[in-house]
Amino acid sequence: MRSIWNGAISFGLVSIPIKLVNATENHAVSFRQIHLADNGRVRYRKVCELDGEELSAAEIGKAYEEADGSMIPITDEDLGSLPLPTARTIEIVAFVPAASIDPLQMDTAYYLSADGVTAAKPYTLLREALKRSRKVAVAKYALRGRERLGMLRVVDDVIAMHGLLWPDEIRSPEGAAPQADVTVRDAELDLADALMDTLGEVDLDSLHDDYREAVEQLIAAKAAGRTPERAEAEGTGGGKVIDLIAALESSVREAKEARGEKPEDASVAEVTPLAGRRKSGATGARKKAQPARRTAKKTAGKTMKSAKPAARKTAEKKATGKTAAKTSAKKTAKRTTAKAATGKAAPRGRASA
């Protein structure tokens, strides 16, 4: 493997010459940009925006842009003169438990290879010390113009180094958690545990990139002049309201079947009845109660219907009686008034005679 950096590990007063090589490689299929009209390759050119001249790599330097847009040129000599002790050294600063490193800090991985015969003994010493202590080394190093943080650990018989992000480069998770108050029931947790147990462990070496394989098959088909097969789009179910219990039960069942286990052996049978039996019992009681409720409603409806005409007749009789009483009272009042008037008029006539 080709080294990308040569330097030394500083382990107290011990210096271990090493070569830094990439521990990972990218297998993703890359594409080029083309002109759709004629399939011509589209390339980027570096052009000076002041005079429009296309520039070569040797004519391009670095600069820091101020807030007002002005540029401050920075040369490699300027950067090389900075007091950076880790310019060619991986300086170990501490040994800590691996669990104390937040996986969020993990970045690019490298292998540290002993550079020369004289490096073999101190390299092996550091490797075995890391193995026996069951710790990892935290180190500082400089690469590509900036100082970085790293973690050294043992992989088989090689010391590997993971680049780490600085703590202030990790963003706070504030606002990422669900904002609504959610309560998870024990039955749901039991099913989630059953699903986790059913899926079990996996050999990471058996996992592969299905999408990359599909892209490669697509390219091969088009290169051979064949019409590529198109897969049917599968719904992701995003945004749909689901029955969580039913979804968990189905997931456990499918996982069991994928492992070749019979449905009756599934652990779902041990968990589902906790909620399922109560629901089914309640549902049966509701079903039995529904006919009685419907009968009661019908009986009440008939009673109300039969009661309405009688009530109307009673109300009409009461209203008629009240009206008759009022009419009779008015007539009686008129007669009394007329008699009183006649009685008063007669004496007045005799006095005048």
Side-chain angles (χ1 to χ4, degrees):
M1 293 183 285
R2 185 175 64 87
S3 64
I4 61 171
W5 185 89
N6 291 358
I9 300 175
S10 175
F11 177 32
L13 297 178
V14 178
S15 181
I16 310 171
I18 55 96
K19 294 179 180 179
L20 190 70
V21 298
N22 284 318
T24 61
E25 56 188 1
N26 187 2
H27 290 164
V29 178
S30 59
F31 298 99
R32 302 293 188 186
Q33 290 186 325
I34 60 170
H35 184 197
L36 292 176
D38 55 14
N39 287 351
R41 174 83 180 275
V42 176
R43 297 179 182 271
Y44 291 100
R45 296 179 179 179
K46 297 183 178 181
V47 178
C48 176
E49 64 180 19
L50 295 179
D51 55 21
E53 182 181 353
E54 184 178 350
L55 306 176
S56 64
E59 297 175 292
I60 300 174
K62 293 189 271 297
Y64 178 80
E65 184 177 3
E66 292 276 29
D68 60 0
S70 59
M71 298 292 180
I72 301 177
I74 303 294
T75 65
D76 292 337
E77 290 76 14
D78 293 332
L79 295 174
S81 64
L82 293 177
L84 187 62
T86 56
R88 284 292 170 187
T89 304
I90 298 174
E91 181 184 356
I92 295 176
V93 297
F95 292 89
V96 299
S100 65
I101 304 296
D102 190 338
L104 282 174
Q105 289 186 257
M106 296 288 192
D107 202 0
T108 309
Y110 306 95
Y111 290 135
L112 304 182
S113 173
D115 189 6
V117 178
T118 57
K121 182 66 179 284
Y123 183 97
T124 304
L125 172 64
L126 176 59
R127 183 191 67 197
E128 295 304 314
L130 287 171
K131 279 185 179 180
R132 190 167 72 172
S133 67
R134 297 183 180 178
K135 292 184 177 181
V136 298
V138 176
K140 295 170 69 176
Y141 66 101
L143 182 65
R144 299 188 180 96
R146 55 169 293 197
E147 189 172 53
R148 302 166 187 262
L149 196 61
M151 179 191 77
L152 277 63
R153 69 184 184 97
V154 178
V155 177
D156 295 334
D157 288 330
V158 177
I159 299 175
M161 182 174 71
H162 295 270
L164 299 178
L165 299 174
W166 295 99
D168 60 0
E169 292 179 318
I170 305 298
R171 299 176 63 183
S172 169
E174 183 180 358
Q179 300 300 312
D181 293 333
V182 179
T183 301
V184 179
R185 295 177 294 169
D186 290 340
E188 294 167 339
L189 283 174
D190 291 341
L191 280 171
D193 290 341
L195 178 58
M196 293 168 63
D197 293 338
T198 303
L199 292 175
E201 299 179 356
V202 65
D203 181 7
L204 293 179
D205 292 335
S206 67
L207 301 179
H208 58 278
D209 190 346
D210 293 325
Y211 181 76
R212 176 170 60 88
E213 290 183 359
V215 172
E216 291 173 348
Q217 292 173 7
L218 170 67
I219 294 172
K222 299 201 81 170
R226 302 193 310 270
T227 302
E229 297 180 2
R230 298 190 179 277
E232 295 182 2
E234 296 181 0
T236 58
K240 293 183 179 179
V241 178
I242 62 170
D243 184 343
L244 187 56
I245 289 290
L248 286 169
E249 289 177 348
S250 299
S251 299
V252 174
R253 191 180 303 108
E254 290 177 2
K256 289 280 187 181
E257 291 174 354
R259 292 173 59 178
E261 299 182 18
K262 296 181 180 179
E264 58 267 23
D265 296 335
S267 58
V268 182
E270 301 174 2
V271 181
T272 304
L274 293 175
R277 286 177 181 170
R278 293 174 188 170
K279 289 184 177 179
S280 61
T283 304
R286 290 195 202 100
K287 287 181 178 178
K288 290 180 181 179
Q290 282 176 358
R293 290 177 184 170
R294 290 172 183 168
T295 305
K297 286 182 179 179
K298 288 180 180 179
T299 305
K302 290 178 180 180
T303 304
M304 291 296 293
K305 286 179 181 179
S306 61
K308 283 181 181 178
R312 285 176 187 166
K313 290 178 181 179
T314 304
E316 287 175 0
K317 287 181 180 180
K318 290 182 179 179
T320 305
K322 289 180 180 179
T323 305
K326 287 181 180 179
T327 305
S328 177
K330 287 180 180 179
K331 289 180 179 180
T332 304
K334 285 180 181 180
R335 290 173 184 170
T336 304
T337 304
K339 286 180 179 180
T342 305
K344 289 179 180 179
R348 287 179 186 172
R350 285 194 294 266
S352 59

